[in-house]
Amino acid sequence: MPGDKIHIFDTTLRDGEQVPGCKLVSSEKIALALKLEELGVDIIEAGFPISSPGDFASVTEISKLITKATVCALSRAVQKDIEAAGEAIKFAKRPRIHTGIGTSDSHIKAKFNATQDEILERAIQAVKWAKKYTDDIEFYAEDAGRTENGYLARVIEAVIKAGATVVNIPDTTGYCLPHQYGEKIAYLINNVPNIDKAIISCHCHNDLGLATANSIAGVIAGARQIECTINGLGERAGNTSLEEVVMVIKQHKELGLHTDINATLLNPMSRLVSDTMRMPVQPNKAIVGSNAFSHSSGIHQDGFLKDTSTYEIIAPEEVGADSSKIVLTARSGRSALAHRFQKLNYQFDRNDIDVLYEHFTQLADSKKEVDDNDLAHMALSHQQKTLATA
Ligand code: KIV
Ligand code: ZN
């Protein structure tokens, strides 16, 4: 496949599972991990082993079962966390420890009551502890989005020197604008002398609805990993949505990037996660929402029926969605009505449709959607009237 590969790091089972109400039992986590591997994700963040015995057990089991993807465990920059993470992933074919610490002034002062230099030392120490368990160490600079670039560059240089192979630049609070996040990644590429020894990762939250845009700005600037979740689940307003970034990269070939995700599994995966986590997907959600391939206004329906590409940039089958829907509402036009009658095997000419359309708009004004039953009644009464006047 041409172009640079973007590694897809899925954190549905860790950041996604932190959502209130989305807690999973071990068997559910294992089932989802196997499906994520089938989907083609490169890294599965399986959990936060120190957080509970149940999560430790889930990460251990996932490590045993996953054969292709890297299995990653989260830890703070704390020795006992790192030991638990190291233990939990010891059976993995490709084990990774994800460790890190807050680097913004707000985190350094309010959370740690420390200095920049002390945090730098703790970051280095964490990577060194983690290195005892695996070579694949990802370091996160929590709240990097609000961390001053000069200090962030110092931390990143030091952790790479200590052995980090992936450096995660989280916009933990979803604060950055896309150009700011992109510039932050570019700054690190231009100012960290050993940056070529690590992969830069984007981990963006969606507090301002910018997580996808920020992650894409990050990879345009040179990052090569995106951390994301199915359906964009995650703390507060969520994380970057996996299906969105994958399809942005697939649609925009001019970016010269690709992922190994099997896009036809995106909708089945979304439904599985939604059902398992008991978290409905908003209907207007890009790629996987129930309205993502529905057309309801007359102008759109007319164009779509002439050529689907007028109003659809992705074919539903490309992302495993049900076929596109023409929804009949008070905003629909004659061509959509005629199309639906045709699908229901009624043969009406233009004059019939003009008459039927009058009845249709009256009915449509009184309800949200006109369905096939309504149309059958309309057709019958129209046929009876036509016969009576013949
Ligand atoms: O949002 C964040 O900063 C995180 C880190 C733990 C990677 O989830
Ligand atoms: Zn996060």
Side-chain angles (χ1 to χ4, degrees):
M1 193 170 292
D4 273 12
K5 172 167 162 160
I6 299 301
H7 295 86
I8 296 294
F9 176 116
D10 182 276
T11 182
T12 309
L13 303 180
R14 200 278 297 169
D15 222 327
E17 205 231 10
Q18 288 171 207
V19 174
C22 283
K23 166 91 185 62
L24 298 169
V25 297
S26 202
S27 56
E28 292 170 325
K29 277 192 116 172
I30 293 165
L32 288 181
L34 292 167
K35 285 288 177 190
L36 287 167
E37 178 165 60
E38 206 178 306
L39 179 67
V41 310
D42 299 283
I43 303 107
I44 297 171
E45 187 162 50
F48 183 15
I50 194 76
S51 65
S52 75
D55 217 36
F56 182 92
S58 301
V59 178
T60 306
E61 286 315 303
I62 290 170
S63 296
K64 288 179 186 164
L65 291 169
I66 292 298
T67 54
K68 293 195 290 281
T70 294
V71 178
C72 177
L74 184 77
S75 74
R76 295 166 296 180
V78 171
Q79 193 166 8
K80 65 178 174 22
D81 280 37
I82 294 168
E83 283 165 5
E87 263 304 296
I89 51 158
K90 74 176 177 208
F91 298 109
K93 278 223 162 70
R94 292 181 186 76
R96 175 180 295 183
I97 293 178
H98 190 191
T99 188
I101 194 160
T103 51
S104 65
D105 282 347
S106 139
H107 279 229
I108 293 176
K109 293 200 178 91
K111 263 174 78 173
F112 303 114
N113 189 24
T115 63
Q116 286 191 337
D117 286 345
E118 282 162 355
I119 293 298
L120 184 70
E121 283 312 311
R122 283 167 72 169
I124 296 168
Q125 182 59 66
V127 173
K128 287 186 178 159
W129 281 324
K131 213 66 189 170
K132 292 187 194 137
Y133 298 91
T134 169
D135 272 342
D136 188 353
I137 307 298
E138 174 166 340
F139 176 83
Y140 64 86
E142 197 179 7
D143 205 14
R146 293 187 299 170
T147 301
E148 183 262 310
N149 284 346
Y151 176 63
L152 184 61
R154 266 178 71 205
V155 174
I156 296 303
E157 182 180 352
V159 295
I160 295 174
K161 198 163 162 227
T165 45
V166 181
V167 286
N168 180 10
I169 312 302
D171 184 22
T172 304
T173 58
Y175 178 74
C176 289
L177 293 170
H179 75 276
Q180 293 169 333
Y181 190 73
E183 280 163 16
K184 193 171 277 291
I185 302 297
Y187 181 91
L188 295 174
I189 291 174
N190 293 325
N191 291 280
V192 174
N194 53 0
I195 198 73
D196 58 313
K197 306 219 161 31
I199 291 177
I200 301 179
S201 184
C202 309
H203 178 113
C204 298
H205 278 267
N206 206 30
D207 300 65
L208 292 172
L210 292 171
T212 295
N214 284 347
S215 299
I216 296 298
V219 294
I220 289 173
R224 285 295 172 264
Q225 178 176 286
I226 294 180
E227 309 200 359
C228 45
T229 59
I230 302 295
N231 299 336
L233 289 170
E235 284 277 353
R236 306 180 308 280
N239 285 58
T240 300
S241 146
L242 180 148
E243 52 280 5
E244 291 176 12
V245 287
V246 164
M247 289 315 291
V248 171
I249 289 170
K250 193 156 188 272
Q251 290 299 110
H252 283 271
K253 306 240 179 311
E254 74 278 14
L255 296 179
L257 305 171
H258 73 272
T259 72
D260 284 347
I261 297 295
N262 177 351
T264 62
L265 297 178
L266 287 173
N267 269 272
M269 189 75 216
S270 160
R271 281 195 292 271
L272 179 69
V273 167
S274 168
D275 291 348
T276 315
M277 290 193 158
R278 297 155 289 273
M279 187 57 73
V281 177
Q282 70 191 64
N284 58 328
K285 171 86 179 60
I287 321 294
V288 294
S290 55
N291 285 346
F293 298 97
S294 292
H295 305 274
S296 70
S297 94
I299 299 172
H300 289 210
Q301 290 171 335
D302 183 52
F304 174 80
L305 290 169
K306 287 175 176 145
D307 180 344
T308 56
S309 73
T310 52
Y311 287 98
E312 270 185 3
I313 58 162
I314 301 167
E317 54 275 16
E318 212 185 311
V319 290
D322 294 339
S323 42
S324 311
K325 271 190 296 198
I326 294 282
V327 184
L328 294 179
T329 72
R331 304 291 154 260
S332 300
R334 281 177 179 70
S335 34
L337 185 65
H339 170 80
R340 183 70 75 82
F341 273 130
Q342 219 172 44
K343 279 195 109 181
L344 295 172
N345 282 327
Y346 292 104
Q347 307 301 326
F348 291 130
D349 63 19
R350 218 192 156 87
N351 292 334
D352 291 321
I353 292 294
D354 280 345
V355 177
L356 283 160
Y357 187 67
E358 292 248 335
H359 296 300
F360 165 77
T361 50
Q362 278 161 21
L363 179 65
D365 262 339
S366 68
K367 57 193 310 228
K368 285 196 188 307
E369 189 181 329
V370 175
D371 60 25
D372 289 351
N373 257 340
D374 299 322
L375 295 182
H377 280 117
M378 278 171 57
L380 188 65
S381 103
H382 180 72
Q383 282 160 340
Q384 282 167 346
K385 275 187 209 150
T386 314
L387 278 177
T389 54

